[in-house]
Amino acid sequence: MKERRGRRADPRLGRVLRGFARFPRALPIGIFVAIALLTGVGVWAIEMAQKDARRTELSQIATGASAALERRANANAAYLRSGAALLATQDDVPASLFRTFVGQLRLDANFRGAEGIGWAERVDSNDIPAFEAKQDELGATDFAVHPLPRSDQAYAVPVTYLQPLTDRNRRAIGFNMFSERTRRIAMLEAERLARPTASGRVVLVQEGTQTTAPGFLIYMPVFKIDPAGGRRLQGYVYSPFNAQDFVESALEGELPNRARIGLYDGPIASDNLLAEISTGETGGESLTRQISIGNRTFTMEVHSLKSSVLSDVAVIVLLSGLVVASLALAIAWLLTRQAAEARQVIGILEEQAAIRNSLTRELNHRVKNTLANVLSIVSLTRRRATSLDAFATSLDGRIRALSATHDLLTQSEWGTTPVKSVIEVEMAPYALGRDSIVEMDGPEVELAPNDALSLGLAIHELATNAAKFGALSVPGGKVSVDWDLVSENLVRVRWKESDGPTVSDDRPRGFGTELIEKIVAHELRNPVDLVFEASGVRCTMLIPVRTRSEFMIRARQEREKNRG
């Protein structure tokens, strides 16, 4: 028993050796791929760690930047609150008082990023001429409210004072901020909440017509309390901001070296961009933060700068891994080459012996089947032949039909053969160069070798009969051959002749009829329906459709060997 078991293990070992001989590069390449994969995993882990570090750094930058912007905005709002508290105690706001108040704030040191602090008085529409005259008397030459309020607006809110009074700020004096929608919305919201409120994205009047640099304003309402406890809007203390100057001054000293910061009025979009600071080309990680400036929510986007594809550490690990993998590949290849070549020679010799034995068995089986078919054809042809020439002619045609089908089977390596190919080969001499019509139609169906041979003989006999006596013997005659699947394991082939000579009722049955009804029917293991109608011959054959394992000699031999 032990000896038998050992012998059974030898073929498996031989297959392993043959496989190694067929693929001598498998082991070296496998080692190379394994080391390369490990290197790739290492590089990936390093890059993930670097990515997490960049995200953490970006989060810290965003936290610091948002805190700086909100801190600067809150400081500005505090100044506006103090100004509103002072002006609320005054029945009138003279220019000298306002200049003194602003001068005490030391704007150059504490209010950077803003254009200054202004006072915009509420003026009823009917009082605008008197207001303009009063400002002229106080020394504001050529003071004019512009644009004038619309008919549906009860009052205007013109810029009355704006300190420091630079050339830029002079452009804003007299401008009716209530006439512009974005500013008006912010002023009404500030009046409703009684707290500093920022406007949306606007272009400051100070910019003139030369630039469209975006900015915003922060308004603080000033109310006059009447004896009854009610309050009336007196005007606004406000600050105009150039957005770019505001962001740069707020982030001065905290400007990141590897990031781009953008401030947006609302969602991130090019039309909403207020300001941006960038120290290089962006292209890395990004995150957004919502920040509150003057009771209005702005969006800040922080974008890391574009980095190289791999970090320095990852590049070093990658190059080192590739060098090690290449060295291992070369060593493994040198060590296995000679052994693989020797095993390959042994495998080739064993494979040749197996192929030779298999071909011998295959040839023996096929020759026996072919000789049996030939003997049957010779026997039946001899019985029906009336002369030696007739015998030789009939036998020659049938042997040629058998040979044509054999060629098809050889091309398919004695596997399955399409029904269409068998019919086309047998009908080729009659379908070309004739006045007759040959039609073929049917699905793709594969036949076993013996079944294909039987179908070829049947089609040959039917075609020969049609060429001598039937539809193929006259111009305009028609032969239709169609096939379809009756079931999963059975195909039906139908032959029908039309437009040919009339078939006589007392026509004698020849060898072809016997070959189809006896030999072909026996080989196909199904009856053949052959009818000689007056309009033409009609024949119906049922052919089994078998799987490859049902007729492969090697498969049967393997099963028999396993049973033994």
Side-chain angles (χ1 to χ4, degrees):
M1 293 296 292
K2 293 182 179 178
E3 183 180 356
R4 183 174 296 177
R5 288 178 182 173
R7 291 177 180 174
R8 289 181 180 177
D10 290 339
R12 290 194 295 270
L13 179 60
R15 286 194 295 271
V16 173
L17 295 177
R18 284 194 299 272
F20 186 76
R22 289 182 61 189
F23 305 102
R25 298 182 178 88
L27 181 60
I29 292 177
I31 293 174
F32 178 84
V33 171
I35 297 176
L37 287 176
L38 290 175
T39 302
V41 171
V43 171
W44 176 82
I46 292 172
E47 284 301 299
M48 289 299 100
Q50 293 287 339
K51 189 174 183 180
D52 291 340
R54 287 193 293 270
R55 287 177 178 172
T56 302
E57 180 186 16
L58 200 62
S59 178
Q60 294 174 349
I61 293 173
T63 301
S66 61
L69 292 174
E70 289 182 346
R71 188 165 55 248
R72 177 55 58 87
N74 291 336
N76 294 341
Y79 292 137
L80 295 181
R81 286 180 184 272
S82 63
L86 173 64
L87 299 180
T89 62
Q90 305 294 318
D91 294 333
D92 194 11
V93 181
S96 58
L97 174 65
F98 188 77
R99 283 195 300 269
T100 301
F101 164 69
V102 175
Q104 294 297 322
L105 294 179
R106 298 177 60 193
L107 295 182
D108 291 341
N110 302 325
F111 212 59
R112 288 180 300 170
E115 297 286 337
I117 294 180
W119 164 248
E121 188 169 337
R122 178 187 184 278
V123 182
D124 291 339
S125 298
N126 296 329
D127 297 336
I128 290 178
F131 180 76
E132 291 176 340
K134 178 181 177 182
Q135 295 302 315
D136 286 338
E137 292 176 1
L138 295 175
T141 57
D142 299 330
F143 183 91
V145 176
H146 62 279
L148 294 174
R150 301 194 307 266
S151 60
D152 59 339
Q153 294 176 347
Y155 60 89
V157 185
V159 178
T160 308
Y161 310 127
L162 184 55
Q163 294 294 327
L165 192 57
T166 62
D167 290 338
R168 282 173 53 85
N169 286 342
R170 290 181 187 278
R171 298 172 185 164
I173 299 299
F175 174 67
N176 178 17
M177 293 186 288
F178 203 69
S179 64
E180 194 272 321
R181 181 176 181 276
T182 302
R183 293 174 172 84
R184 182 170 62 252
I185 291 174
M187 285 189 282
L188 292 175
E189 184 70 8
E191 180 184 4
R192 185 180 69 84
L193 299 175
R195 59 187 297 184
T197 302
S199 72
R201 184 180 187 272
V202 298
V203 176
L204 300 178
V205 180
Q206 287 90 325
E207 304 295 347
T209 59
Q210 301 300 319
T211 179
T212 57
F216 63 95
L217 304 99
I218 298 180
Y219 294 97
M220 179 63 196
V222 177
F223 297 100
K224 182 66 67 176
I225 307 300
D226 59 30
R231 68 179 188 179
R232 180 182 183 276
L233 179 67
Q234 186 177 2
Y236 296 91
V237 179
Y238 79 99
S239 286
F241 295 88
N242 178 286
Q244 188 70 30
D245 293 342
F246 172 76
V247 172
E248 290 180 356
S249 64
L251 299 181
E252 186 177 0
E254 300 183 20
L255 187 64
N257 294 325
R258 298 190 306 277
R260 175 258 187 193
I261 294 178
L263 184 64
Y264 296 85
D265 176 27
I268 297 175
S270 58
D271 292 340
N272 295 336
L273 180 64
L274 288 170
E276 66 175 341
I277 299 176
S278 180
T279 56
E281 182 183 0
T282 60
E285 300 290 330
S286 66
L287 56 84
T288 59
R289 292 286 175 84
Q290 302 297 319
I291 61 175
S292 179
I293 298 177
N295 198 39
R296 184 180 181 86
T297 300
F298 291 83
T299 302
M300 182 183 68
E301 181 187 39
V302 183
H303 211 135
S304 64
L305 299 186
K306 186 175 182 180
S307 58
S308 58
V309 178
L310 294 176
S311 62
D312 294 340
V313 178
V315 171
I316 293 173
V317 172
L318 178 61
L319 294 177
S320 300
L322 292 178
V323 169
V324 172
S326 300
L327 291 176
L329 173 65
I331 294 172
W333 170 250
L334 292 175
L335 292 176
T336 57
R337 183 174 181 181
Q338 291 183 347
E341 290 177 352
R343 283 191 289 268
Q344 186 177 13
V345 171
I346 296 173
I348 291 174
L349 294 177
E350 292 179 350
E351 185 177 359
Q352 289 178 347
I355 293 174
R356 185 165 53 250
N357 294 335
S358 178
L359 289 176
T360 301
R361 292 193 296 270
E362 184 90 11
L363 181 61
N364 182 49
H365 177 78
R366 296 304 172 194
V367 169
K368 286 182 179 179
N369 283 348
T370 303
L371 290 177
N373 287 333
V374 172
L375 289 175
S376 299
I377 293 172
V378 170
S379 177
L380 290 176
T381 305
R382 182 182 60 187
R383 276 188 239 164
R384 294 288 182 175
T386 56
S387 66
L388 184 60
D389 290 340
F391 171 78
T393 302
S394 299
L395 184 62
D396 178 77
R398 287 164 184 136
I399 295 300
R400 288 182 182 276
L402 192 65
S403 174
T405 308
H406 266 262
D407 288 340
L408 277 180
L409 296 176
T410 301
Q411 293 173 8
S412 65
E413 298 182 353
W414 285 83
T416 56
T417 304
V419 171
K420 183 178 181 180
S421 298
V422 176
I423 296 175
E424 284 180 343
V425 166
E426 299 299 341
M427 295 299 297
Y430 309 101
L432 301 175
R434 287 178 172 268
D435 295 331
S436 304
I437 302 172
V438 177
E439 294 182 349
M440 292 172 281
D441 183 55
E444 289 290 332
V445 181
E446 303 281 338
L447 297 180
N450 289 341
D451 299 331
L453 285 173
S454 300
L455 174 62
L457 285 174
I459 296 297
H460 172 75
E461 292 302 327
L462 291 170
T464 302
N465 177 76
K468 290 182 179 180
F469 311 108
L472 298 179
S473 65
V474 296
K478 180 180 179 181
V479 172
S480 298
V481 186
D482 63 85
W483 60 95
D484 60 344
L485 283 170
V486 179
S487 65
E488 184 179 355
N489 300 318
L490 197 64
V491 61
R492 175 173 55 195
V493 179
R494 290 175 291 195
W495 171 285
K496 184 178 180 181
E497 299 180 25
S498 58
D499 299 331
T502 302
V503 179
S504 175
D505 294 336
D506 58 350
R507 181 186 176 191
R509 302 175 70 82
F511 164 71
T513 304
E514 290 190 9
L515 185 144
I516 294 174
E517 293 181 335
K518 293 182 180 179
I519 296 180
V520 174
H522 173 74
E523 289 292 331
L524 297 180
R525 289 176 287 180
N526 283 296
V528 176
D529 182 18
L530 181 61
V531 180
F532 291 89
E533 297 177 342
S535 59
V537 176
R538 177 174 55 81
C539 180
T540 303
M541 293 174 282
L542 295 175
I543 306 173
V545 179
R546 293 181 285 173
T547 60
R548 195 177 185 91
S549 61
E550 294 183 51
F551 56 84
M552 288 297 293
I553 292 178
R554 293 190 181 93
R556 291 201 301 269
Q557 290 176 344
E558 188 64 29
R559 289 198 298 270
E560 293 172 0
K561 183 177 181 181
N562 293 335
R563 293 194 195 101

